[in-house]
Structures are given as C-alpha cells and as structure tokens.
Amino acid sequence: MSVISTHSFIKLLKLHREILVGRIKNTECVLDNLIKHEYISGEEAELSQQHPTQAAKVRKILDLVESKGEETAEYFLHILYQASEVYANLSPWLVEIQYQPSDHILTKSVIITDAVCQYIQKIKHDLRQDTKFVTSYVQKEDTLLDDTYTESLMELINAVNETKGNISHLEDLFSDTGVINEDAETVFVTGDAGATCSSQQLLGYVTLTDIYLLMLEVFLNRSSKAGLNKGNKSQNETFKAKRDALLRLGKLAKEGIENSSFIFSQEQITAADISEEDLQLGFVKNTGHYDGCGNQSTYEFLHLTLQSLFAAFSLVVDEEISAKELIKFFSKCDSFLTGARANVLLLRCLGYSTHHRKDPFETNEHLQFTMLFLCGLLSKTKRDLFKHLASTGSVQRKHSALKAYLADCVKVHLKNLPKAAFEEFSRVQVLPRFVWLLRYIFETQSEAIANLAAKGICADYIKLTFCNAFSADCSAIANILRHRKKSIALELDNNNINDYGVKELIPCFDKLTVVRLSVNQITDDGAKVLAEELTKYKIIKILGLYRNQITDVGAQFIAQIVEECPCLRTLKIGLNKLTSEGGKLLAQAIQKSKVIRDVGMWGNQIGDAGAVAFAEAIRNHPSIRELSLAANGISAEGGKSLAVALKDNRSLEIFWLTENQLNDEAAELFAEALRFNKSLLHLWVINNKITEVGAKYFFEILKENATIEEICLNGNCIPAEEAKRFAKDKRILL
C-alpha cells in the first residue's frame, strides 16, 4: 500500500510541510497552474507573492492550497510530479511517498513556465526520441541535419548560457540524459534509467566543456549518414570519424577569434577547405548576402561560444601549433606574466587609474570562452578522447604548459600588498577577470593545478567584490581554497552568489576566517548552511551578511554562529528582514558572547521589543565596541531602555541610533547615562525627533564628560538659532 493512500492529500501536505518549504524554489510554476485550472484566483496568487522570502511564499501557498480542499491539494502534488524539470529535488520525496496521480487528476494538464526548463525539456525529449546511450549511441538512419535540429542546438546553447550561476538547471538536464562519471571517465547511460547526481557530484565532474562536447556528439551522430555503421558508436569513434571536418572548422574559428572576426566570407570558407558537407553539419550558418563584393554569401557560427569551442579544439588537435605557441596565443591578448602586468594590478589595487591600457579580457568574451574550453579539452578526463585525434606527446606538452601558465597567473593576481601597521590582513583586491581565471582552473578538473594555484596565493585576504561572480563560481573558488594549508579571508560582497553559492563554498569553510557575503540575495536557507558549516570549525572572525533576505527564521541560525563561534568579533546583518523576534534572538546570543566587538543591525525593524533585548545585551558587556541599531523603528520607549543600560556599559565606543523616533525624554536619559559612562566616544542620533530641549541635555552633560568625542544631532527638530548656541561645543554636530 502506498504511503499516500493512508492520508488525505491535505494531511500529507501538512505532514511533510518542512520538506516542501525547504525544497520548493519556484513558486511561479505552481501558481500559474493553480490559476489556469481555477483552483485559486489571480488575486490570491498575488497576495502569496508579497511575502519577503521564498520560504514565506511557499508557506502561504500551502495554507492557500490546504484551505481549498482535497482536489486542490492533489493537483498541487501533481504539479510537482509533472514539472520535474522545475522541482527535481522533490523527485526522491515523491518516490518515497509512492505518489501516483489519480485518473481524474491526469486529465488536468501541467504547464512549465520556467523558460530555461522549457529549453531543457525540449532537448531532453529530442535525446530520448532519437538517441539511446549506454556508453554509446544507437544510430538511426536519419537524413542530414535539418533546421529542426539546428534550432535544438541553439536552444541548448541558450539554455546552458542562461543557467550561468544556476547549475541546478544543468543538474536537471543531466539527471535524465544520464551523464555520470566513474573513475574519471565520462560514461553515458540510458536516459530511461533516470540516473541522478547531486550538485556536489555534478560540480565535481560535469563541466561546461562536457556539456558542449555532448552537444557536438549528439548532433554529429544526427547528421551522420554514409560510411558510419548502424550499431553502437562511442564518443571517441564519433569524433575520430569527423576529426578532419572538425579541425577545418576549428582553424576557421581560431582565425576569427584571433582577429575578433565573427563573420566569414565565401573566400574564407573556400580558403579553409570547408566543404558543403562540413557546412551541412550545422555548426556554421549562412547569414545572407551583402553588397559590394558581388553578392557573396557570408557565414557565422551558430553562437559565439560555439566558435570559441571550435577554436579551442583547433589549438589542441592541430600539431602544427606548439605548446609555446598555444600559451603565446593568450598571453599576447592579456600578458598576465609580464612585470608590467603586475605593476598594473598593484596600481589598480592602490586606487590609481590605469585607463590608458585597455584590458581585452574584460570585454572580449570570445577569448574568455576559448580559454575556458581549452582548459576543459586539455583536462585529464579528455585524454582518452584526444589520443584518437592528436599525438599523446603533443597533447601532454600542451597540458603541462597550460598547467604552469595558470599557476603563474594566480601568483601574479594574488600577490599581496604591503600590510599597513593597523591592518590584521595582507589584502589583495582582485579584478573581475580573476573570476574567469578561477573558472579556467575549475574547468581543468585537475587537483594538481588547483593545488599549485592555492600555493600561489600569498595574501591572506582575497577581496572579490563587484566581480559579477555567480553561485557556480563559488565552486571554482572552493576548488582552489580547499587546497590551502593556512586559513584565509574571503570577501564576496555585491555579487550574485545566493543560497546555492553558499552551499558550493562548503569545501573551503574550514579555511575561512572571514566570510563576507553582503548584497547577494541570501535567504534563510543560506543562513542555515552557514550555521552548519561555521560552527563545525569555529574559526570565523568576521561575518558580513548586509543587505540580503534573511528573516527571523534565519536569525536563529546566525544567533547559533554568534553563540558557538568563540572567535567571532564582527557581525554585519543590516538591511535584512529582521523584526523584533529576530532582534531578540541575536541580542540574546550577543549577550552570551565574550568576544563580539562590532554588531551592525542598521535597516531592520526590531522595534522597541528588540531594543529592550539589546539593552540587556550591552549592559555590562565585556567586549562590544561598536553597535548600530539605526533605522530600526525604535521609539522613545525602546530608546529609554538602551539609555539606562548604557549606564552600566564600559566597553561600547560607537553607538548608532540614526533614523529612529527618539525624543527629548530619551535624550535626557542618554545624557544622564553619559554622567556615568566614560567609555563611549561617538553617539549618533541623527534624524530622530529631538528638539532643542533634548539637545540642551547633551550640551550640559558635556561639561562633565570629557571623554566623548562627538554627539551627532543632525536632522533633528532643532531651530537654527539654538543650533548655533549648542555648536559652541565642537563635540556636538548639528
């Protein structure tokens, strides 16, 4: 008997609510289908989406579905079942509960509204229909590649490019097409077997190069007609059979990459010995005609990345290109290894302008992708393939040259700057193209290269802010940092990391003393991962999570880090979604900490209840030096509690209460606290509701307190004339 038959569908959703809330990452697909079949209204769907976090949205949808009855609950499960591309991580659960749709629900269609998943769904359908592979493909008698399959190739390329930073979509693709890895050899299994791989397994084995080679293999087999046997055909045999055609296309692509040329004339096609049969493979398309040269046809590769792949193929297979020439091909475009290069990096790190020297790798994607594919094609996992296409010695020499080149690149990029006397870390600010270097190293799937790169890191603080890094890039970062022997600080503020990226950093959390992930769309799920990992190693000193999407649910995980990590001295969690409940949790954890020094809570909404909790936290606290509760909806009542607690504090030096609703009554108590507290140096109460009455309290207390350096009262309700009088004491800023 199935599990599902023992419960109503509503009870089933309630019983497994935690799993559903944790694993449903796309609410649009569910809502679109519920609306389509009139289970809910558009207004109800809109209201569910107004919640600040993904988890909260899912909870609201579950409440809504459960209120609509058994059929709605059953159809909700049916959506998760049918839209497997969108909800792949729920498939094991659906198997566990032995879900089978009823005949009635089967009459209700399910539409998939995730665009990338639509691409993948179509390609997977094509693969299932036309190819079965158990370490090989069963060939069919098909005509040469037609427009339908050219479109399919373009769709898959677009799907891969759109998944940048979201490898989970690629995991969906390979779970059904069946790419797995055994003993460092790529093995294809039948799509019907339903092989799946976790994100960790996927990122350990499947690279962008793997995906593109799979595309080429599928379409080469689709286009093959004469001269190929009808039985199973391995990947090696497929590429060997088409080696010369691929090399001709590769030489054309390389010529274009070198000259930043992407349109080819008929003369160039002819000069490259590219035949009509080569063109029929479908990787190059006719772009029409142009006037001026006798209406000649022009051609281009289907996609920029495809041209880059073919160029890389040529660099590896063409034995006339030596290992030295291969490296020169890239170093002439971006001289990583020159002294001038290092000087440019140092100047930029120091803030000097270097606009006079254009950096091709910041703008030329075709070079970046060519390098990426070159790293993938020269990886050890591709040796078996390329021993059929080029001499083993040639490929090995190119691999060795690339290995040394990448290691030297890391050394140049990550030379540490001189450490200032007041700084704890030797910092290095890397540039956006360094993310590409990390991707190159990851694409090689080489432990040796990653280890060499790790040894080349001289600095102990890597700053990767504003580098347009995506969640998938965290795999590349972790790939290198996990090889370090010493601890290191990592700053990834202002990128596109999200929760998935946090998970991909797991292999290197045992090395990280600083984790800065501000402005990265991180939610409670990411906070949970941080708590699980950082409390394992307990070496974290600084945690930056400013401007993310963490709610009170996530606050309990952050509080756990504060309580259990004895080295944590700085926590920045401003501009999240914390209310009084989250504020209380963090305040209680801070109260227990004996080492925390700097806490930033700016821009949350902890209110008076949260302020009261923080008052208790700072009372007699032994270590806290800086606290910001700015813009937190704190009124006079909350302010009074903080002021009273300040009397008993002897550690706080900087206290920010900007943009709250503190009034003269609160100001009087803060002034009174300064009669006893002689450790506070800076008190900021900008943009509150203090008048000249409250300002006078501060003015008078300064006659007794000689240690406080400034009281900032800008933006309060103090008339200009009165402000002039108070400004006689330079420590009052108005």
Side-chain angles (χ1 to χ4, degrees):
M1 181 181 293
S2 71
V3 174
I4 204 167
S5 65
T6 63
H7 298 90
S8 75
F9 292 104
I10 292 175
K11 288 182 179 178
L12 188 74
L13 296 182
K14 289 181 177 178
L15 183 65
H16 297 277
R17 189 180 183 91
E18 184 178 351
I19 292 174
L20 295 168
V21 170
R23 297 187 188 179
I24 293 178
K25 306 303 180 186
N26 179 314
T27 54
E28 288 79 10
C29 185
V30 165
L31 292 173
D32 287 347
N33 282 284
L34 289 171
I35 292 170
K36 176 187 175 185
H37 292 287
E38 299 182 347
Y39 286 112
I40 65 172
S41 67
E43 183 178 0
E44 288 173 325
E46 185 176 345
L47 287 172
S48 73
Q49 296 297 82
Q50 291 179 0
H51 291 265
T53 66
Q54 188 71 11
K57 290 175 183 176
V58 175
R59 290 189 191 98
K60 181 60 180 177
I61 292 171
L62 288 171
D63 290 340
L64 187 60
V65 167
E66 290 163 11
S67 71
K68 298 290 184 177
E70 285 292 332
E71 184 177 325
T72 306
E74 182 184 1
Y75 182 68
F76 176 85
L77 282 173
H78 189 55
I79 297 170
L80 305 181
Y81 177 75
Q82 290 289 356
S84 58
E85 287 78 14
V86 182
Y87 305 109
N89 56 356
L90 279 169
S91 295
W93 174 72
L94 290 167
V95 172
E96 180 185 330
I97 65 171
Q98 300 173 40
Y99 172 74
Q100 291 295 329
S102 67
D103 292 340
H104 171 66
I105 286 298
L106 281 173
T107 64
K108 308 281 186 180
S109 62
V110 172
I111 57 172
I112 297 177
T113 54
D114 184 297
V116 177
C117 287
Q118 286 176 342
Y119 284 137
I120 292 174
Q121 185 188 44
K122 183 179 186 302
I123 299 301
K124 290 201 304 192
H125 176 267
D126 289 343
L127 291 174
R128 291 193 194 101
Q129 291 296 109
D130 298 307
T131 319
K132 297 289 182 183
F133 31 109
V134 182
T135 70
S136 61
Y137 292 103
V138 178
Q139 283 300 126
K140 292 187 176 183
E141 294 185 67
D142 286 310
T143 58
L144 291 179
L145 193 68
D146 58 21
D147 290 341
T148 300
Y149 288 93
T150 301
E151 290 173 7
S152 293
L153 176 56
M154 279 301 298
E155 286 175 346
L156 183 51
I157 292 174
N158 288 332
V160 170
N161 290 324
E162 287 192 41
T163 57
K164 187 178 183 182
N166 191 352
I167 297 294
S168 59
H169 283 309
L170 299 184
E171 181 180 348
D172 293 342
L173 172 62
F174 283 97
S175 68
D176 276 359
T177 55
V179 177
I180 61 173
N181 189 293
E182 297 177 359
D183 301 324
E185 295 290 339
T186 302
V187 180
F188 300 96
V189 301
T190 174
D192 291 347
T196 59
C197 48
S198 70
S199 61
Q200 289 300 315
Q201 290 172 319
L202 176 78
L203 291 170
Y205 300 116
V206 178
T207 65
L208 196 67
T209 307
D210 292 321
I211 297 166
Y212 272 71
L213 287 178
L214 173 62
M215 284 194 295
L216 261 62
E217 182 183 3
V218 170
F219 283 85
L220 284 173
N221 278 303
R222 281 289 308 160
S223 65
S224 297
K225 185 178 181 181
L228 298 179
N229 62 49
K230 299 178 182 179
N232 292 346
K233 194 166 189 60
S234 70
Q235 186 182 56
N236 294 345
E237 290 173 319
T238 297
F239 279 88
K240 184 179 179 181
K242 289 294 183 181
R243 175 194 181 277
D244 293 341
L246 294 174
L247 187 55
R248 288 191 291 270
L249 291 169
K251 289 180 177 179
L252 179 71
K254 174 180 170 290
E255 179 185 336
I257 292 293
E258 286 181 302
N259 301 311
S260 296
S261 175
F262 312 106
I263 302 294
F264 304 94
S265 66
Q266 182 65 59
E267 283 92 344
Q268 288 174 295
I269 295 292
T270 302
D273 293 326
I274 293 173
S275 66
E276 185 62 31
E277 184 179 350
D278 296 339
L279 294 175
Q280 285 293 325
L281 292 173
F283 303 121
V284 174
K285 65 179 180 179
N286 189 302
T287 60
H289 298 79
Y290 62 91
D291 295 327
C293 296
N295 283 332
Q296 291 179 324
S297 295
T298 56
Y299 301 85
E300 67 179 353
F301 283 86
L302 287 180
H303 197 274
L304 169 67
T305 54
L306 198 60
Q307 183 175 344
S308 295
L309 176 68
F310 273 98
F313 183 89
S314 173
L315 288 166
V316 174
V317 174
D318 190 347
E319 300 201 22
E320 293 182 3
I321 300 175
S322 67
K324 185 177 179 179
E325 289 172 318
L326 178 142
I327 298 303
K328 186 179 178 181
F329 177 82
F330 292 101
S331 60
K332 70 181 179 182
C333 299
D334 193 337
S335 52
F336 281 117
L337 307 182
T338 64
R341 176 58 163 188
N343 290 334
V344 168
L345 286 170
L346 289 173
L347 287 171
R348 288 189 177 180
C349 291
L350 293 169
Y352 294 103
S353 172
T354 55
H355 290 310
H356 62 279
R357 185 181 183 278
K358 184 182 178 184
D359 183 353
F361 263 54
E362 286 184 344
T363 55
N364 293 350
E365 268 198 346
H366 57 290
L367 293 172
Q368 294 167 332
F369 274 106
T370 303
M371 184 64 169
L372 188 78
F373 288 126
L374 180 67
C375 292
L377 295 177
L378 285 174
S379 68
K380 287 186 178 180
T381 60
K382 306 298 181 294
R383 284 186 181 177
D384 186 57
L385 170 63
F386 280 95
K387 75 180 182 183
H388 300 283
L389 305 174
S391 70
T392 302
S394 173
V395 174
Q396 180 57 47
R397 286 190 294 273
K398 290 177 182 179
H399 172 82
S400 299
L402 180 69
K403 176 180 175 180
Y405 174 75
L406 292 173
D408 285 339
C409 288
V410 173
K411 289 179 183 178
V412 172
H413 272 80
L414 297 185
K415 281 185 177 179
N416 58 293
L417 298 175
K419 181 167 60 177
F422 60 87
E423 287 188 332
E424 177 183 356
F425 299 101
S426 299
R427 297 171 184 258
V428 59
Q429 167 70 64
V430 299
L431 303 175
R433 67 179 169 277
F434 180 69
V435 174
W436 278 98
L437 178 55
L438 294 174
R439 292 168 182 163
Y440 302 154
I441 294 170
F442 183 72
E443 198 75 13
T444 67
Q445 291 290 283
S446 168
E447 293 286 308
I449 294 176
N451 192 38
L452 277 175
K455 289 179 179 178
I457 301 174
C458 300
D460 54 12
Y461 191 117
I462 298 179
K463 191 172 183 180
L464 273 162
T465 56
F466 292 101
C467 285
N468 200 31
F470 289 82
S471 55
D473 294 320
C474 290
S475 308
I477 294 168
N479 179 51
I480 292 177
L481 295 187
R482 66 191 175 89
H483 289 280
R484 269 185 65 90
K485 304 300 182 186
K486 299 179 181 179
S487 60
I488 194 166
L490 179 63
E491 184 172 338
L492 282 164
D493 293 347
N494 294 280
N495 284 294
N496 303 285
I497 300 304
N498 67 46
D499 295 337
Y500 193 84
V502 176
K503 293 177 183 176
E504 298 316 306
L505 289 174
I506 287 176
C508 67
F509 274 123
D510 63 329
K511 305 294 193 303
L512 301 183
T513 56
V514 175
V515 176
R516 296 194 55 162
L517 295 167
S518 297
V519 198
N520 269 298
Q521 303 90 46
I522 292 166
T523 74
D524 298 334
D525 291 340
K528 183 179 180 182
V529 174
L530 288 171
E532 290 171 348
E533 296 303 316
L534 297 179
T535 56
K536 282 182 189 176
Y537 309 109
K538 303 183 189 302
I539 62 171
I540 189 71
K541 295 179 180 179
I542 299 173
L543 179 59
L545 292 167
Y546 169 80
R547 203 168 199 152
N548 281 295
Q549 303 293 322
I550 299 170
T551 73
D552 294 338
V553 174
Q556 65 182 319
F557 301 122
I558 306 303
Q560 181 187 355
I561 297 171
V562 175
E563 284 190 39
E564 298 183 23
C565 295
C567 301
L568 184 68
R569 61 174 188 264
T570 299
L571 172 65
K572 298 294 186 181
I573 194 168
L575 265 185
N576 275 272
K577 307 291 183 181
L578 306 181
T579 69
S580 59
E581 292 305 310
K584 289 176 186 176
L585 289 169
L586 290 171
Q588 290 163 4
I590 289 163
Q591 186 175 6
K592 296 174 185 177
S593 172
K594 305 301 181 186
V595 296
I596 195 103
R597 294 171 60 90
D598 183 357
V599 178
M601 288 281 294
W602 185 88
N604 287 293
Q605 285 297 314
I606 67 169
D608 290 337
V612 170
F614 268 94
E616 290 304 309
I618 66 173
R619 192 189 306 274
N620 297 312
H621 199 285
S623 63
I624 194 163
R625 299 285 186 273
E626 183 172 348
L627 174 62
S628 173
L629 297 177
N632 261 286
I634 300 171
S635 75
E637 294 307 309
K640 290 176 186 178
S641 298
L642 291 165
V644 172
L646 196 59
K647 279 186 179 181
D648 300 320
N649 180 281
R650 297 295 178 268
S651 63
L652 199 60
E653 296 176 355
I654 302 173
F655 198 3
W656 289 50
L657 286 162
T658 298
E659 293 184 18
N660 283 296
Q661 290 89 46
L662 306 186
N663 61 12
D664 293 335
E665 292 181 44
E668 182 179 12
L669 288 178
F670 272 106
E672 178 65 17
L674 294 177
R675 191 184 307 278
F676 304 92
N677 184 310
K678 300 300 171 62
S679 61
L680 192 68
L681 303 177
H682 306 272
L683 177 62
W684 287 47
V685 285
I686 298 169
N687 293 337
N688 277 272
K689 295 183 177 180
I690 298 169
T691 72
E692 66 272 19
V693 175
K696 185 178 179 181
Y697 294 130
F698 287 121
F699 183 74
E700 294 297 328
I701 202 64
L702 289 181
K703 296 174 184 177
E704 300 181 35
N705 187 321
T707 57
I708 193 162
E709 296 178 5
E710 65 177 6
I711 299 174
C712 298
L713 290 165
N714 313 60
N716 281 285
C717 309
I718 303 170
E721 288 301 315
E722 294 294 329
K724 288 180 183 178
R725 181 166 68 89
F726 298 135
K728 290 178 182 178
D729 192 315
K730 302 298 183 183
R731 293 177 293 170
I732 290 185
L733 304 181
L734 288 164

